[in-house]
Amino acid sequence: MSNVITFYDIPSKNPGQAWSPNTWKTRYSLNFKGLPYKTVWVEYPDIEALCKKIGAPPTATKADGTPFYTVPAIHDPSTNTVIADSILIADYLDKTYPDTPKLLPPGTHALQHAAINAYLPTGAPVFQFAIPLTHKLLGPGSQGYFRFHREKLFGKTMEDLTPTGPARDEEWAKVKAGFNVVDGWLQAGEGPYFLGKTPAFIDFVIGSRLYWLRQIFTEDSPEYKDIMTWNEGRWATYVEGLKQYESVLI
Amino acid sequence: MSNVITFYDIPSKNPGQAWSPNTWKTRYSLNFKGLPYKTVWVEYPDIEALCKKIGAPPTATKADGTPFYTVPAIHDPSTNTVIADSILIADYLDKTYPDTPKLLPPGTHALQHAAINAYLPTGAPVFQFAIPLTHKLLGPGSQGYFRFHREKLFGKTMEDLTPTGPARDEEWAKVKAGFNVVDGWLQAGEGPYFLGKTPAFIDFVIGSRLYWLRQIFTEDSPEYKDIMTWNEGRWATYVEGLKQYESVLI
């Protein structure tokens, strides 16, 4: 057991339910490679102290200029390495475990970095729907922190963030428009994934957002069902193919 | 000679000078593949009529809902095919001439589409500097058209578009910030190009913008020289490596 990777993730209020679109990138990565790991759950307000304790560097800078610490982070005892940031973790895992499937195959690093940059804003319209539902999914250890920071970011209360009436339809159409953009890229390729038959890191970035939406809307919601019909069912196929990488080892 | 591809490009006021960041994507593509072609020069106001005449479909839709016709376009007599839009042309050339170097190697189609989407906005800050200089480079057949449409798009006259004084420095810093973003992606890869040692279509997209800047600022200008020093001289190396694909066959 001493060589098992420790993977730091954010809990929901439901024991063992992994939900975060950020940490899922790394959980998918570990599952894809078949690397054993154990999950250590860390509530939002405790992330900074944890990262400092384990020696995980900040991954960004806050608006006030101070360092911003985030998960996913991993500790790999086999090399005594601690890393934060999902794409840096992916790169580390590719290099450290060369006999496992590649998340960033040679020649695709720069392209995947750029493609992720293009992908992220296409998903922005869903936040107004997803953030209040995410807030509801969190336990008391994270809810207050999440509310404070997200309300500051969006300039609205959790209760006012999701549009209603005709505005809801308009904003939901923007969510669909974002999926259409990504569908256009995928249609140019061999599919179903970015590089072809096998998913790569960018697919796990997208898969993580879809997994998150499945958790917060739930599979039977009209919203999630709607998404699964878009682009001739592309996202249903996409999600189905990723299910083999969705173990939650705790 | 009957099998030589016809390549439709926009002239400058100087005979034989190709300058357009859009058409260069195709000129680089043809040169990279070593395919013979001849250039037919078409002034801006004549593009729509030309495309209709040769059967090149529109590549976009105008704000008023009518079709928008653009160059680059090619006519390949060996297959009697007419295509517009540089990435569609690249894909066509890859498929029709399978023994030539690939612009969109298998497994990179979707990624290159997404990466181009990420790249284009990073270059937007240079327009305010580059558009008035482009206007000056055009001949009388295109200048009026170019002025009318660009002034409408930017909401400023050619003479007011480029910032002066301290605002100029601030805006030029944004140009640099855009290059920094792309440098970050390239740093993640093997370099110097997106896929490694050999350029691909996305590199010709970037190369076309750099070629354009070289034509309008001129190589000896402080602006172009400044760019060549950015990111530890990455762009100087990048441009140098693309020079072997810069023939202007007319």
Side-chain angles (χ1 to χ4, degrees):
Chain A
M1 283 297 285
S2 68
N3 269 354
V4 168
I5 291 168
T6 300
F7 164 51
Y8 296 94
D9 197 354
I10 303 165
S12 77
K13 67 186 175 193
N14 305 312
Q17 183 190 22
W19 62 272
S20 156
N22 292 315
T23 58
W24 259 103
K25 296 173 208 167
T26 294
R27 192 180 288 278
Y28 270 127
S29 297
L30 291 162
N31 289 334
F32 174 68
K33 288 180 170 290
L35 294 169
Y37 64 88
K38 63 178 179 190
T39 306
V40 170
W41 302 101
V42 52
E43 301 280 3
Y44 270 108
D46 305 325
I47 292 173
E48 180 167 335
L50 168 90
C51 287
K52 286 180 175 169
K53 187 180 123 197
I54 64 174
T59 58
T61 304
K62 294 185 204 174
D64 67 6
T66 59
F68 186 44
Y69 294 87
T70 60
V71 290
I74 63 162
H75 170 233
D76 184 350
S78 72
T79 59
N80 201 22
T81 303
V82 173
I83 318 183
D85 196 329
S86 61
I87 197 163
L88 298 182
I89 294 170
D91 198 38
Y92 164 82
L93 296 174
D94 275 352
K95 284 181 179 144
T96 309
Y97 301 98
D99 298 335
T100 60
K102 292 269 182 295
L103 293 157
L104 299 153
T108 72
H109 280 81
L111 280 180
Q112 289 205 56
H113 273 262
I116 291 166
N117 240 273
Y119 168 67
L120 294 179
T122 69
V126 90
F127 290 159
Q128 57 195 322
F129 297 93
I131 294 295
L133 296 173
T134 302
H135 178 253
K136 275 187 195 159
L137 192 69
L138 294 173
S142 283
Q143 259 191 342
Y145 180 99
F146 188 84
R147 176 186 282 274
F148 176 81
H149 288 284
R150 293 304 181 279
E151 291 188 344
K152 198 169 145 188
L153 183 66
F154 289 95
K156 284 187 183 177
T157 66
M158 282 295 158
E159 291 68 23
D160 291 334
L161 191 55
T162 305
T164 54
R168 183 180 175 97
D169 296 342
E170 272 172 42
E171 294 302 314
W172 190 250
K174 290 182 192 168
V175 177
K176 188 174 182 179
F179 277 77
N180 290 346
V181 170
V182 185
D183 180 63
W185 304 335
L186 284 166
Q187 273 190 39
E190 293 86 348
Y193 298 107
F194 266 78
L195 276 64
K197 287 197 191 338
T198 307
F201 186 68
I202 180 155
D203 298 297
F204 293 125
V205 172
I206 296 174
S208 293
R209 285 236 174 134
L210 291 166
Y211 193 97
W212 171 51
L213 298 179
R214 190 162 16 129
Q215 301 305 303
I216 56 164
F217 284 121
T218 78
E219 228 161 331
D220 296 328
S221 63
E223 291 86 355
Y224 189 77
K225 282 184 176 170
D226 196 20
I227 295 171
M228 291 299 111
T229 68
W230 292 347
N231 306 121
E232 280 95 50
R234 174 187 294 285
W235 306 108
T237 310
Y238 199 89
V239 161
E240 204 50 49
L242 296 184
K243 284 191 174 165
Q244 61 185 303
Y245 310 114
E246 292 180 356
S247 306
V248 178
L249 303 184
I250 52 177
Chain B
M1 282 299 286
S2 69
N3 268 351
V4 168
I5 291 168
T6 301
F7 164 52
Y8 297 93
D9 197 356
I10 304 164
S12 76
K13 67 184 175 191
N14 306 312
Q17 183 190 22
W19 62 273
S20 156
N22 293 316
T23 58
W24 259 101
K25 297 172 206 166
T26 294
R27 191 179 289 278
Y28 271 127
S29 298
L30 291 162
N31 289 334
F32 174 67
K33 288 180 170 290
L35 294 169
Y37 64 90
K38 62 177 179 192
T39 306
V40 171
W41 302 101
V42 50
E43 300 280 1
Y44 271 107
D46 306 326
I47 292 173
E48 181 167 335
L50 168 89
C51 288
K52 287 178 175 169
K53 186 180 124 197
I54 64 174
T59 57
T61 304
K62 293 185 203 173
D64 67 5
T66 59
F68 186 44
Y69 294 86
T70 60
V71 288
I74 63 163
H75 170 234
D76 184 350
S78 71
T79 60
N80 200 22
T81 303
V82 173
I83 319 181
D85 195 327
S86 60
I87 197 163
L88 298 182
I89 294 171
D91 199 36
Y92 164 81
L93 295 174
D94 274 353
K95 285 179 179 143
T96 309
Y97 302 97
D99 298 334
T100 60
K102 291 266 182 298
L103 293 158
L104 299 153
T108 72
H109 281 80
L111 281 180
Q112 290 205 56
H113 273 261
I116 291 165
N117 239 275
Y119 168 67
L120 294 178
T122 68
V126 89
F127 291 158
Q128 59 195 320
F129 297 93
I131 294 296
L133 296 173
T134 303
H135 177 254
K136 276 190 196 161
L137 191 69
L138 295 174
S142 282
Q143 258 190 343
Y145 180 99
F146 188 83
R147 174 186 284 273
F148 177 81
H149 288 282
R150 293 304 181 279
E151 291 188 345
K152 198 170 147 189
L153 183 66
F154 289 95
K156 284 186 181 176
T157 65
M158 282 295 157
E159 290 68 24
D160 290 335
L161 191 55
T162 305
T164 54
R168 183 179 174 98
D169 295 342
E170 273 171 39
E171 294 302 314
W172 190 248
K174 290 181 191 167
V175 177
K176 188 175 182 179
F179 277 76
N180 290 346
V181 170
V182 184
D183 179 64
W185 304 335
L186 285 166
Q187 273 190 37
E190 293 86 348
Y193 298 107
F194 266 79
L195 276 65
K197 288 199 192 333
T198 308
F201 186 69
I202 180 155
D203 298 297
F204 293 125
V205 172
I206 296 174
S208 293
R209 285 235 176 136
L210 291 167
Y211 193 97
W212 171 50
L213 298 179
R214 194 167 8 132
Q215 300 306 303
I216 55 165
F217 283 123
T218 77
E219 228 161 329
D220 297 327
S221 63
E223 292 85 355
Y224 190 77
K225 283 184 176 172
D226 195 20
I227 295 170
M228 291 299 113
T229 68
W230 293 348
N231 306 124
E232 280 95 48
R234 171 186 297 287
W235 307 109
T237 310
Y238 200 89
V239 161
E240 203 50 49
L242 296 183
K243 284 192 175 165
Q244 61 186 302
Y245 311 113
E246 292 179 357
S247 307
V248 179
L249 304 184
I250 51 177

